[in-house]
Amino acid sequence: MASLSFIIGIIGNIISILVFTSPIKTFWQVVKKKSTENYKSTPYITTLLSTSLWTFYGLLNPDGLLVTTVNGAGTVLQFIYVTLFLVYAPQDKKVKTAKLFALLNVGFLGLVIAVTFLAVPGRVRLTVVGILCAGLTIGMYASPLSVMRIVIKTKSVEYMPFFLSFFLFLNGGIWSVYAALVKDFYIGVPNAVGFVLGSIQLIIYAIYNKKSISKKSLEMMEEEGSAHLVKENEMGAFEDYEEANVKIRNLHKGSSLPKPSVNRQYSFQRILKTLSLSPYERHPSWPYEEDVGKGEKNHS
């Protein structure tokens, strides 16, 4: 039984370390861009507090070697993440992160350790620290509830990373089994809650991932249809353009202009002849009519 619990604990260590290393890709981008952009430091600071307390719990527990190793590794990784955040965050976020780090990871953690050794009897120490660790772990597992609400509202799994949900599910399950084997209530309860919440996350992912795929397929079909229509319109416009070019070339060649009829040619020649005549030639009686008009006025 002891060897089985040890094997399960080793598996739990591996899965937990995979969960702890999942933000490496994120912080690699932060280092490359030298900016934390819109990332928040709160999850890393709270996880650092949780792993630190679990490490303390493992040190207090005579059978807590595997708990100490995995959470010690998690504490180191989370501390690196918080340090990188402090280096590359904008000034306002850097100040907030430093304050939160000082409050939780220095002030609160230091207070818990001091009170545990100075004010709590030896037999009760493990209980006090175990309750604190269990509460923080339940909070960590419950944090994706807001993401699940977004998934249900938007009917899209865009904001729910599958592998993180999957590893949290495995992590909760394997540590629940380990806790049952070693009969550790403080490890068992929060990880059982995490296992249930992880199962719900995976079910929601399976439901809405199909809908997301169907929606993407529909959008792709609509895009292809729009592209086809645009192509047809472009071909039609090209054909009209070619037809217009042919007409213009025909105009330059004179082939598209109808030849004027004889009557039209004769009328056009008469108009030109009329315009070229002088006023006397166009109206031979015009001066006489004017003189007659003047004479009639004088006579009257």
Side-chain angles (χ1 to χ4, degrees), residues 44-91:
Y44 308 106
I45 291 176
T46 53
T47 306
L48 175 59
L49 176 62
S50 177
T51 53
S52 300
L53 283 172
W54 274 114
T55 303
F56 182 48
Y57 174 85
L59 292 172
L60 292 175
N61 191 346
D63 300 321
L65 174 63
L66 294 176
V67 176
T68 305
T69 54
V70 67
N71 285 284
T75 300
V76 172
L77 288 170
Q78 298 302 321
F79 182 78
I80 292 171
Y81 300 150
V82 173
T83 303
L84 290 173
F85 205 96
L86 287 169
V87 172
Y88 293 108
Q91 187 63 31

Side-chain angles (χ1 to χ4, degrees), residues 255-272:
S255 59
S256 64
L257 289 174
K259 293 183 179 180
S261 62
V262 176
N263 293 331
R264 288 184 179 178
Q265 287 180 350
Y266 178 70
S267 300
F268 186 67
Q269 289 175 358
R270 287 188 62 186
I271 292 170
L272 288 177

Side-chain angles (χ1 to χ4, degrees), residues 151-215:
V151 170
I152 294 171
K153 186 177 180 180
T154 61
K155 296 181 179 180
S156 172
V157 294
E158 181 181 358
Y159 300 103
M160 180 183 281
F162 171 76
F163 286 107
L164 181 59
S165 301
F166 179 68
F167 280 119
L168 286 174
F169 162 78
L170 286 181
N171 190 64
I174 200 72
W175 282 108
S176 297
V177 174
Y178 173 82
L181 292 173
V182 299
K183 298 179 181 179
D184 193 318
F185 176 80
Y186 306 111
I187 297 175
V189 171
N191 283 288
V193 172
F195 177 75
V196 172
L197 291 176
S199 303
I200 295 172
Q201 286 183 59
L202 292 179
I203 292 170
I204 290 174
Y205 188 93
I207 293 171
Y208 290 102
N209 187 44
K210 293 180 180 178
K211 293 184 179 181
S212 298
I213 292 172
S214 301
K215 187 177 179 182

Side-chain angles (χ1 to χ4, degrees), residues 241-262:
Y241 177 74
E242 286 296 316
E243 186 178 351
N245 279 339
V246 171
K247 289 181 180 180
I248 292 171
R249 287 195 294 268
N250 289 337
L251 281 172
H252 285 303
K253 292 177 181 179
S255 59
S256 64
L257 289 174
K259 293 183 179 180
S261 62
V262 176

